[in-house]
């Protein structure tokens, strides 16, 4: 049966997925209204003031991962360029800096186990079954650090098959930044939407959707209502439970319990000088610095010479810092850096010009950073993305079934796919 043409569509969420869906629908001649709970567009893309940090710093998403065809297409449209990541990655262990981690002696054995895996299981279970002995301690630590840090995932829940390709190339997929930051891309999409007649309402948190198989209004917490023919729902997974849904959609939304959603704490520190390069000349081209300190991962803006270090802590262990405020997180970041470099934290504090710390789990409009796949996730995504003739469509990075789930590319691609499904 052909789907009735939806004349007025409400898109909930003005993040990457929502804006992409809205633009596609508006370009096809539909009347589109976007409802966004924040006072800005972008969602978990969170540009910070260039005046404060000396460049368009990113409080949320920062890197373009892998091939990212939808992102690249938008960048061409917008006239924006990519800045490939250059420089040297360093690792610090027991106070010693090294450019490259020596290969694990069991790496080939690990890859063989991955290649032979047919039925999915969690990463933790894979390690228990095949790599439990003490001789595999370093391998287990390396795998768990990558799952928790890079994927913001819980090894006890994360899908091995979903991460297999990433591991087989050693996690070395290409990475780049957008010149001007992701905020420039969001500005382009927002302008595109408005140029095609999309109406965007900020500070409009949705409390209920009454549209099911029949027309019904979308209700906002501020008392506004919006009649529509269809709804595209793009909020982060943890927020689904905060919106009253029709019974059929509530049942579909329950499938989100089988999709992982991880957290990230991000700390941005602007200093007066690039003191790390002054301390060690061989760190002049430092990009990423890996350690086992409380805030374990740091990176620079190389090849740009901004005196900036960004700290990153991801995965379930961030829960131990859930009660820390922003100032306490900044202090923890400075302490980790001081420990890594053998500095007095007070010396770093005197060099500090500006700082921000964002614990995404404490953001009430996010509830965490991004999604990851569990063994049941592909089935759950099929349920949520399924087109069953209803008027509510789920979309967002968590529903992307490609390799780079959890990325901005995943959000853009999902929004595009959802819009095309709705258009029939």
């Amino acid at each position: 049966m052909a789907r009735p043409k939806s004349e007025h569509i409400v898109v909930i969420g003005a993040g990457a997925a929502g804006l992409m869906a809205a633009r596609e629908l508006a370009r096809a001649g539909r009347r589109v209204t976007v409802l966004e709970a924040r006072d800005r567009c972008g969602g978990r893309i969170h540009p910070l003031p260039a005046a404060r940090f000396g460049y368009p710093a990113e409080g949320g998403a920062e890197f373009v991962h892998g091939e990212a065809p939808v992102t690249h297409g938008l960048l061409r449209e917008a006239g924006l360029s990519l800045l490939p990541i250059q420089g040297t990655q360093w690792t610090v262990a027991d106070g010693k800096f090294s450019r490259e981690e020596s290969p694990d002696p069991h790496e080939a054995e690990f890859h063989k186990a991955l290649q032979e895996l047919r039925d999915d299981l969690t990463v933790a279970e894979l390690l228990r079954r095949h790599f439990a002995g003490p001789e595999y301690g370093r391998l287990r630590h390396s795998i768990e650090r990558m799952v928790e840090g890079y994927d913001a995932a819980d090894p006890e829940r994360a899908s091995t098959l979903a991460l297999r390709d990433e591991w087989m190339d050693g996690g070395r997929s290409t990475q780049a930044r957008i010149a001007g930051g992701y905020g420039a891309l969001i500005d382009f999409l927002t302008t595109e939407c408005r140029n095609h007649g999309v109406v965007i309402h900020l500070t409009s948190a949705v409390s209920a959707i009454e549209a099911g198989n029949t027309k019904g209004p979308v209700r906002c917490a501020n008392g506004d209502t919006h009649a529509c023919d269809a709804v595209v729902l793009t909020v982060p997974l943890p927020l689904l439970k905060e919106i009253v849904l029709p019974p059929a959609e509530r049942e579909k939304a329950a499938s989100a319990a089988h999709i992982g959603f991880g957290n990230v704490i991000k700390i941005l520190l602007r200093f007066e000088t690039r003191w790390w390069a002054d301390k060690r000349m061989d760190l002049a081209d430092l990009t990423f610095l890996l350690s086992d300190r409380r805030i374990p991962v740091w990176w620079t803006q190389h090849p740009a010479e901004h005196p900036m270090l960004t700290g990153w802590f991801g995965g379930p262990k961030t829960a131990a810092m859930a009660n820390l405020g922003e100032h306490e997180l900044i202090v923890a970041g400075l302490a980790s850096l001081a420990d890594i470099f053998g500095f007095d934290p007070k010396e770093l504090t005197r060099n500090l010009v500006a700082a921000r710390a964002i614990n995404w789990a404490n953001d009430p409009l996010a509830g965490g950073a991004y999604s990851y796949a569990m063994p049941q996730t592909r089935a759950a995504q099929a349920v949520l993305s399924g087109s069953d003739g209803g008027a509510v469509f789920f979309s967002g990075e968590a529903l992307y079934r490609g390799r780079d789930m959890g990325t901005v590319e995943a959000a853009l691609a999902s929004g595009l796919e959802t819009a095309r499904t709705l258009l029939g």
Side-chain angles (χ1 to χ4, degrees):
M1 177 186 298
R3 179 183 303 280
K5 183 176 179 179
S6 299
E7 293 295 344
H8 181 213
I9 301 163
V10 166
V11 176
I12 301 174
L19 293 174
M20 192 67 179
R23 185 182 84 144
E24 187 74 5
L25 293 165
R27 289 168 78 177
R30 303 299 190 265
R31 184 163 69 93
V32 181
T33 299
V34 175
L35 304 176
E36 168 55 49
R38 299 182 189 273
D39 60 1
R40 60 174 179 82
C41 293
R44 285 164 281 165
I45 292 172
H46 183 20
L48 299 176
R52 186 173 181 186
F53 289 96
Y55 73 104
E58 308 273 21
E62 181 167 345
F63 300 102
V64 178
H65 302 273
E67 295 180 0
V70 180
T71 304
H72 281 258
L74 276 179
L75 292 174
R76 285 191 295 270
E77 285 187 62
L80 297 171
S81 59
L82 280 177
L83 306 173
I85 302 301
Q86 303 174 25
T88 305
Q89 176 175 302
W90 288 75
T91 299
V92 181
D94 300 322
K96 296 180 180 178
F97 285 71
S98 59
R99 282 187 173 87
E100 297 289 343
E101 284 191 284
S102 57
D104 191 283
H106 303 289
E107 185 175 2
E109 189 178 348
F110 178 66
H111 285 177
K112 184 173 184 291
L114 291 176
Q115 289 172 328
E116 293 176 351
L117 188 65
R118 296 293 175 264
D119 297 320
D120 203 0
L121 71 168
T122 67
V123 172
E125 184 59 29
L126 173 79
L127 295 177
R128 282 192 289 267
R129 286 189 190 183
H130 299 284
F131 305 98
E135 68 274 24
Y136 298 115
R138 180 185 166 196
L139 175 71
R140 289 195 301 272
H141 175 72
S142 175
I143 295 303
E144 288 166 355
R145 181 168 73 176
M146 190 173 199
V147 170
E148 293 177 350
Y150 185 78
D151 299 292
D154 184 348
E156 293 289 350
R157 305 180 74 201
S159 159
T160 298
L161 288 182
L163 296 173
R164 179 163 62 183
D165 289 344
E166 177 185 317
W167 288 333
M168 294 301 285
D169 73 2
R172 291 183 288 271
S173 63
T174 58
Q175 292 191 94
R177 292 185 180 93
I178 299 172
Y182 267 114
L185 189 63
I186 290 298
D187 289 344
F188 170 74
L189 269 179
T190 303
T191 300
E192 280 281 288
C193 283
R194 288 182 167 136
N195 286 346
H196 286 91
V198 175
V199 177
I200 300 175
H201 294 281
L202 302 177
T203 63
S204 295
V206 170
S207 57
I209 301 172
E210 297 181 14
N213 289 323
T214 59
K215 295 182 182 181
V218 173
R219 302 190 182 277
C220 295
N222 61 12
D224 291 347
T225 61
H226 299 268
C228 60
D229 303 292
V231 176
V232 177
L233 181 54
T234 74
V235 300
L237 292 184
L239 302 190
L240 286 176
K241 62 182 181 295
E242 299 183 11
I243 298 175
V244 176
L245 298 172
E249 281 68 29
R250 173 56 56 196
E251 187 175 336
K252 287 178 70 172
S255 300
H258 298 297
I259 302 175
F261 200 79
N263 186 42
V264 163
I265 293 172
K266 194 171 184 182
I267 302 172
L268 297 95
L269 305 176
R270 180 186 180 186
F271 297 96
E272 290 180 358
T273 63
R274 296 171 71 245
W275 52 262
W276 55 93
D278 297 335
K279 180 177 176 64
R280 295 185 53 131
M281 293 298 293
D282 53 359
L283 296 182
D285 69 342
L286 172 68
T287 51
F288 292 93
L289 179 65
L290 311 181
S291 76
D292 287 322
R293 299 306 189 265
R294 194 178 188 189
I295 306 299
V297 179
W298 294 87
W299 63 74
T300 70
Q301 296 296 310
H302 184 79
E305 295 191 352
H306 301 297
M308 280 285 304
L309 287 174
T310 299
W312 176 274
F313 182 28
K317 292 176 183 175
T318 59
M321 303 177 79
N323 295 325
L324 297 186
E326 183 172 14
H327 176 71
E328 294 168 303
L329 290 174
I330 292 167
V331 169
L334 289 167
S336 293
L337 280 175
D339 198 18
I340 290 169
F341 285 93
F343 274 21
D344 182 339
K346 293 179 181 177
E347 187 177 349
L348 292 186
T349 301
R350 285 193 293 270
N351 198 291
L352 191 64
V353 174
R356 277 299 308 269
I358 300 169
N359 184 346
W360 281 97
N362 291 344
D363 185 319
L365 299 179
Y370 48 83
S371 64
Y372 63 89
M374 297 161 57
Q376 312 95 327
T377 288
R378 297 310 181 199
Q381 289 173 323
V383 170
L384 280 163
S385 300
S387 177
D388 54 7
V392 178
F393 296 78
F394 295 85
S395 188
E397 52 85 11
L399 302 189
Y400 179 70
R401 283 161 280 184
R403 172 175 167 175
D404 293 313
M405 180 180 173
T407 63
V408 176
E409 169 71 13
L412 293 170
S414 178
L416 185 61
E417 180 184 6
T418 302
R420 289 175 176 173
T421 298
L422 201 160
L423 292 169

